[in-house]
Every structure is written in structure tokens, then in C-alpha cells.
Amino acid sequence: MTTCVTAARPPEGGNLAVEKSSRPLAVLRETLHAFARQGARSLEKVVKQYCVESEQRASTAMVRIAR
């Protein structure tokens, strides 16, 4: 899992402040990345299936045309 990120930035008073992202944000970020990867895999499967079906239809059409 991703660890929390710590960043330093000067606040309006000019003094240096440390800002830490919370653990729930890191978990949310990782969850969103996992969903994105899963969605990409699903989309890839659909595209491959579509290509296979299109090739089959094209082959059948070419055979009919050649007759």
C-alpha cells in the first residue's frame, strides 16, 4: 500500500507548516487505481472480442462475395 505523503509549504503567516495527507485518502487513491486497472482490463477484453467477431463476419462476407 502507498504510504502517506508529507509535503512542506509556507502558510500565510510565512512560518513553515507540514501538511500530511491522511491515510483514508491514500486508501481511496489506491482503490480508484485498482478500479481503473480493472476497467481497462474489461475494455481490452471487449475490444478483442469485437475484433474476433468482426473478422469472422468479414471472412463470411468475403466468401459470399467470391461465389
Side-chain angles (χ1 to χ4, degrees), residues 3-66:
T3 57
C4 293
V5 177
T6 303
R9 65 180 173 103
E12 287 187 20
N15 296 326
L16 189 61
V18 175
E19 182 181 314
K20 293 184 180 184
S21 65
S22 65
R23 179 84 176 136
L25 288 178
V27 171
L28 178 61
R29 186 180 314 118
E30 286 185 28
T31 303
L32 290 173
H33 284 219
F35 279 127
R37 285 189 297 273
Q38 182 180 356
R41 284 191 297 268
S42 296
L43 182 60
E44 185 177 358
K45 282 182 180 180
V46 168
V47 169
K48 282 182 182 179
Q49 183 64 32
Y50 178 79
C51 290
V52 167
E53 291 175 5
S54 295
E55 285 181 16
Q56 291 171 349
R57 280 183 267 157
S59 295
T60 303
M62 293 299 278
V63 168
R64 276 189 248 148
I65 292 171

